[in-house]
Amino acid sequence: MELYSTTAILLRRISYGDHDLIISYFSWDQGKISLMAKSARKSRRRFGGCLEILSLSRLICRKGRGKLCLLEESALQQPFSSLRSDIRKLSYASYWAELLYLWLQENSPQEELYRLLLFVLESLENGSMPPEILHLLFQMKFMQISGFAPNLSNCCCCRKPVSESKEIHYAFHLAGGGPLCSSCREKQPGPRVLLSKGSGNQLRWLGNSPLETAGRLRFSPQSVKESQHFLEAFLPCHLGCTPRSLQFLQQLRKEGFPFS
Ligand SMILES: [Zn+2]
């Protein structure tokens, strides 16, 4: 049976029977892959720390007769160990992992999304950017690469540019994927989120800039708060579900990340 190797980040693991695990990885050259790790629950030594969520490992896999390939060997390359000791970091990163797990197709490479995940995990690990800013960056880039970035420039109904409005805030229409100008606001039914023009411009800049320059942008605490609120409403609306890890993150945030 054929062997292959790849480098991948662990997105999700679930128990299978008494001894095994089914693990979903994000591989740089194969996209999402699901593997069976035989006896992983029986012997912790067999795969070492490679089975921690969001760890980066080199894998050797075997294509079997069944649908799932088998994980034969793994070598840990980057454990991102600060996630294990910081509930704030872990709760943000778990949400990013779940979004990718829900969005990615099996065996369909997504190199740009892989580079994005690696960048935000490395930045989280080395502390070069606060988790809240990485969270905004990840969501904007994720939507842009995946083809459903929000329109933050024109009224989604009449196309009037937002820049022509004297209003400081606009009502973002979730289903329409864009803001509503004052004339169209009453005509369009459906949920909307209030967003200031300044925060909208900053988010647009984050989405359009190279990853390496994203840290230059300074968000005020108020702008972080309303941008979070906006993205965490818009993204699940277009994904068609609310990830469980988002509810967990929002609950912890409300409690002020009590275990940090
Ligand atoms: Zn309009």
Side-chain angles (χ1 to χ4, degrees):
M1 278 178 271
E2 192 186 336
L3 286 175
Y4 69 92
S5 65
T6 187
T7 300
I9 300 168
L10 197 155
L11 297 180
R12 183 180 189 246
R13 54 179 213 181
I14 52 171
S15 299
Y16 186 79
D18 291 336
H19 307 304
D20 309 333
L21 288 173
I22 295 175
I23 307 170
S24 297
Y25 283 99
F26 188 2
S27 150
W28 78 273
D29 61 347
Q30 298 189 46
K32 184 166 77 173
I33 50 172
S34 294
L35 303 168
M36 174 77 80
K38 285 274 186 197
S39 301
R41 297 177 68 208
K42 201 163 72 173
S43 164
R44 287 187 173 270
R45 275 185 307 171
R46 176 146 193 236
F47 297 106
C50 296
L51 302 184
E52 295 288 348
I53 186 135
L54 292 160
S55 57
L56 172 73
S57 301
R58 185 78 189 153
L59 313 174
I60 297 179
C61 317
R62 182 182 294 276
K63 287 183 179 158
R65 288 193 197 88
K67 208 174 163 195
L68 285 178
C69 295
L70 299 176
L71 179 61
E72 286 286 319
E73 288 175 38
S74 58
L76 188 62
Q77 293 199 326
Q78 167 57 278
F80 295 114
S81 46
S82 76
L83 299 184
R84 321 290 157 220
S85 56
D86 187 329
I87 190 73
R88 181 163 154 246
K89 288 185 179 182
L90 183 63
S91 54
Y92 281 108
S94 299
Y95 172 53
W96 308 336
E98 191 176 352
L99 277 181
L100 287 166
Y101 175 80
L102 292 168
W103 178 254
L104 293 170
Q105 303 280 322
E106 292 272 344
N107 303 109
S108 172
Q110 288 277 359
E111 274 189 58
E112 217 178 335
L113 283 177
Y114 180 86
R115 279 200 302 276
L116 170 64
L117 180 61
L118 199 54
F119 178 84
V120 288
L121 290 176
E122 282 169 349
S123 305
L124 206 57
E125 182 71 8
N126 64 30
S128 58
M129 272 196 263
E132 285 72 19
I133 304 301
L134 288 169
H135 184 51
L136 302 182
L137 174 68
F138 178 83
Q139 291 173 99
M140 283 304 295
K141 286 285 185 195
F142 169 76
M143 291 192 287
Q144 196 179 54
I145 296 166
S146 306
F148 62 101
N151 150 31
L152 295 164
S153 312
N154 307 78
C155 171
C156 64
C157 198
C158 71
R159 311 306 300 166
K160 184 180 170 186
V162 163
S163 56
E164 287 179 11
S165 164
K166 289 194 175 66
E167 293 178 309
I168 295 171
H169 289 85
Y170 52 73
F172 189 94
H173 192 246
L174 292 177
L180 288 170
C181 71
S182 50
S183 337
C184 297
R185 205 165 294 171
E186 300 309 316
K187 294 182 236 161
Q188 284 295 90
R192 58 214 52 202
V193 175
L194 213 59
L195 185 69
S196 74
K197 269 202 284 190
S199 297
N201 288 340
Q202 285 189 300
L203 285 177
R204 209 171 48 188
W205 189 90
L206 266 191
N208 292 332
S209 302
L211 290 172
E212 293 69 26
T213 59
R216 292 183 198 159
L217 198 63
R218 293 284 170 262
F219 279 79
S220 70
Q222 179 57 29
S223 184
V224 169
K225 208 172 164 185
E226 67 175 26
S227 299
Q228 263 173 3
H229 179 64
F230 161 65
L231 290 172
E232 290 173 9
F234 179 70
L235 214 159
C237 173
H238 280 262
L239 208 60
C241 65
T242 302
R244 288 172 65 183
S245 53
L246 177 60
Q247 295 167 351
F248 180 66
L249 165 67
Q250 289 172 335
Q251 184 61 34
L252 282 180
R253 192 192 281 143
K254 206 190 285 178
E255 293 168 10
F257 295 102
F259 309 109
S260 304

